[in-house]
Each structure stands twice: as C-alpha cells, then as structure tokens.
Amino acid sequence: MKILFMRHGESTDDIDSQYGGWADFELTDSGARQVEEKIASIKELNEKFEVVLCSPLKRAKATGEIMAKGLELITEMFEYAKERNTYGVLSGMKKEAAKESYPDQVDKLDKGEYVDGSERYEDLTVRVKKAVSLLEKSGRETVVVITHGNFLKCLFSEAMGKRLTKKEDAGWVLAELENNQLSPIVGNGIEWE
C-alpha cells in the first residue's frame, strides 16, 4: 500500500500568532495556493490514488477539498489524522493573551511539560499507530491523508523510525506500508534522516 501524507497549507493561526492544536482555524488564501502548487508534483508520481482522507479540522478539510478537486477524487473524514492537542487550555488563544491569562500554562508549554487539557505524546503515539493499522486494513492500495505537523513528526519517529527535519505547509511524503512497516519513499517540502 502507498500513502501520501500531506500537511495542510498555511492557516490563520500561523499569521495571527495563536496556539493551534485542536483549535479549528481556517486555511488562508496563501495556504490554498500552496496546496494547489503541490498538485502537479503529486500527479508526477503517477500513482492512482483512490481517496483523500482528511483530519476533521477546517484547515485540513479545506486542504483535502483542494487536493480532491485537483486529483478528481472524493474526500472522507479520518479522525485519527487530527493534530496533536498540544496546547490544551491555550488552544485558539493569541499567544500574548495566553501569557497574561495563563502564565503558568505557557511556562509549562515552554518547558515541554504537560499543559492542562492537552494530549500527551504517548496518547498521540497510540493514535498514530492506530491510524497506520486502520489504513493497512482498509483494503485500499493508494490513499492521500491530509494531516498536521505534529502528527507527521510522531509518524516519522514512532512509525518509521526516522527523524523529521523539515515540514513545510502543504509539504508531502509518499510512503509505502507493507506488513505494518511504514517507509518513506519521496517527499516534497518534507525531509527526514
């Protein structure tokens, strides 16, 4: 099975200095253009993708709709591809306002500690591995999965044994999944070692 994992395009939290995670931000016009620009490189792969599976967050759904239109496919929601809830109670807040309202939580975030209401890395790892298992059991041969940066970081580390070194907005990686072993083949805007 071949899976093209794509990070969503630029979203409004990126330009408004807000904490993302599970906060549901829109794709920007620039983000939509980023996705459209990647379609040609994906078509060059000469893979016959069957469906575009999307995280349920708006920025991923909008990315998926652009991809589906460009590749003449349908979209389906795939809850497991959702971003990590890294920010918990800080999700959606402007970073300056969060420092004033929740200085203790911002301090915890800066130290890499658990933020109230957030998703622990261990739980994300379980979800990422479950996503890979569900994809393998889906009966499909080639799919596109629209996801997020922290999902990809965990996917590379925990499912591929690689370190993600670059993850651009609308970046993608084509990976092969065989016998529950996931291996990256080629990327565009995504790099690893």
Side-chain angles (χ1 to χ4, degrees), residues 77-94:
M77 287 305 107
F78 188 51
E79 190 75 31
Y80 286 88
K82 197 172 185 180
E83 178 61 294
R84 178 182 179 193
N85 182 11
T86 306
Y87 307 110
V89 296
L90 304 175
S91 292
M93 294 188 73
K94 292 216 178 242

Side-chain angles (χ1 to χ4, degrees), residues 9-50:
E10 178 189 70
S11 55
T12 57
D13 60 308
D14 296 326
I15 58 174
D16 290 337
S17 190
Q18 292 175 274
Y19 289 114
W22 281 5
D24 211 2
F25 294 103
E26 301 283 348
L27 199 63
T28 64
D29 290 342
S30 176
R33 282 191 302 276
Q34 291 169 337
V35 178
E36 288 167 355
E37 289 168 4
K38 296 290 185 182
I39 291 172
S41 64
I42 292 169
K43 286 182 176 180
E44 288 174 7
L45 295 171
N46 292 318
E47 295 290 343
K48 190 168 175 57
F49 293 105
E50 299 166 56

